[in-house]
């Protein structure tokens, strides 16, 4: 099976702009989770989707949003970008919540 | 706060030596998982141990779980330079909650 793919891999944006990141899970996986990873805060959970429904949301402001489509592909959106949003954004898919997760290579977002 | 806390934060060893990393957590769990991350890349799942298991092996990896102490350890035997990476434990709490990752242990294996 093909692994988890994320696009784009690298992104440079300016403060105040908005960005959309995409994730395609492993075929058959219905759970998709998003994480933000920074050197200071480590790996922080953003949200989890299962069968197009958001099941859990981390402690992030409303500028961070996401959705999942009927084919399990997921997108996350960050509006009004801030310098502190610079991070590696990781997507992971799994068959069920709590099972092993398979991660994509990540999207490196730099906000200037 | 993070559910899992790895110890030590960083570890440097010679090739061929064993590396041991520890993870402590706070609440009851369904399972505990270990992941590896090479610099700036996605995480790779290494091993999952369920709450009713005490030890699990996978190749050169050995994981133990002590639910009474809420702790786990990951042992990598006969380490290689290619094992250089960050290692994270992640706990799957009971109920409908997502995996929670610790901040990781940075392992450097020197050839």
């Amino acid at each position: 099976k093909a692994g988890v793919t994320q696009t784009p891999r690298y992104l440079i944006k300016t403060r105040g702009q908005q960005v959309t990141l995409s994730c395609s899970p492993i075929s058959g996986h219905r759970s998709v989770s998003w994480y933000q990873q920074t050197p200071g805060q480590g790996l922080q959970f953003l949200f989890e989707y299962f069968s197009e429904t958001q099941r859990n949301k981390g402690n992030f402001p409303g500028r961070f949003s996401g959705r999942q489509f009927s084919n399990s592909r997921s997108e996350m959106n960050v509006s009004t970008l801030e310098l502190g949003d610079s991070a590696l954004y990781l997507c992971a898919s799994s068959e069920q919540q709590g099972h092993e997760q398979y991660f994509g290579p990540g999207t490196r977002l730099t906000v200037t | 706060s993070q559910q899992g806390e790895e110890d030590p934060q960083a570890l440097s060893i010679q090739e061929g030596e064993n590396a041991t990393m520890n993870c402590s957590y706070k609440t009851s769990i369904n399972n505990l998982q270990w992941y590896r991350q090479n610099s700036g890349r996605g995480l790779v799942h290494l091993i999952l141990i369920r709450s009713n298991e005490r030890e699990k092996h996978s190749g050169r990896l050995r994981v133990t779980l002590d639910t009474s102490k809420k702790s786990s350890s990951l042992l990598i035997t006969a380490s290689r330079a290619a094992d250089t990476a960050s290692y994270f434990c992640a706990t799957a709490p009971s109920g409908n909650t997502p995996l929670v990752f610790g901040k990781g242990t940075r392992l450097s294996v020197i050839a």
Side-chain angles (χ1 to χ4, degrees), chain B residues 25-85:
Chain B
Y25 58 92
K26 297 176 183 175
T27 64
S28 61
I29 60 171
N30 283 328
N31 65 65
L32 185 144
Q33 304 174 31
W34 286 90
Y35 290 80
R36 182 187 75 230
Q37 183 181 33
N38 291 89
S39 180
R41 299 187 181 182
L43 281 70
V44 174
H45 181 263
L46 295 176
I47 198 164
L48 180 154
I49 186 165
R50 303 187 193 286
S51 60
N52 60 354
E53 297 176 309
R54 291 298 167 257
E55 187 171 314
K56 205 161 182 180
H57 296 252
S58 176
R60 293 184 295 111
L61 306 180
R62 172 178 169 253
V63 169
T64 61
L65 178 65
D66 187 335
T67 53
S68 67
K69 295 181 179 179
K70 292 186 169 57
S71 67
S72 173
S73 67
L74 169 67
L75 168 68
I76 303 174
T77 60
S79 62
R80 306 165 181 168
D83 294 327
T84 294

Side-chain angles (χ1 to χ4, degrees), chain A residues 5 15-16 19-21 30 38 44 48 51 57 61 84 101 105:
Chain A
T5 58
R15 269 182 303 175
V19 67
T20 298
L21 311 181
R30 292 189 292 168
T38 59
Q44 293 191 291
E48 183 214 356
S51 294
K57 189 176 192 302
Q101 294 193 336

Side-chain angles (χ1 to χ4, degrees), chain A residues 35 37 40-45 48 55-56 88 90 97-101 103-106 108, chain B residues 2 31 33 35 37 40-45 48 88 92 95-103:
Chain A
Y35 298 86
Q37 187 176 33
Q41 297 299 318
L43 202 63
Q44 293 191 291
F45 172 76
E48 183 214 356
R55 287 205 293 199
N56 288 288
L88 180 66
L90 294 164
Q97 187 179 55
H99 288 205
E100 53 265 39
Q101 294 193 336
F103 281 79
R108 173 76 62 185
Chain B
Q2 301 280 20
N31 65 65
Q33 304 174 31
Y35 290 80
Q37 183 181 33
R41 299 187 181 182
L43 281 70
V44 174
H45 181 263
L48 180 154
F88 296 86
N96 188 25
T97 51
L99 283 182
V100 182
F101 286 81
K103 291 201 170 186

Side-chain angles (χ1 to χ4, degrees), chain A residues 39-86:
Chain A
Q41 297 299 318
L43 202 63
Q44 293 191 291
F45 172 76
L46 280 159
F47 21 68
E48 183 214 356
Y49 288 89
F50 185 87
S51 294
E52 302 181 66
T53 301
Q54 185 182 89
R55 287 205 293 199
N56 288 288
K57 189 176 192 302
N59 189 26
F60 278 82
R63 300 185 297 106
F64 291 81
S65 63
R67 59 179 175 169
Q68 186 180 33
F69 301 95
S70 59
N71 62 358
S72 293
R73 190 176 69 84
S74 177
E75 288 182 348
M76 67 162 281
N77 184 276
V78 187
S79 63
T80 319
L81 284 166
E82 300 177 359
L83 295 178
D85 297 334
S86 294

Side-chain angles (χ1 to χ4, degrees), chain A residues 12-30:
Chain A
I12 300 175
K13 289 286 188 178
T14 304
R15 269 182 303 175
Q17 289 185 316
Q18 67 104 25
V19 67
T20 298
L21 311 181
S22 180
C23 171
S24 293
I26 289 173
S27 177
H29 286 189
R30 292 189 292 168

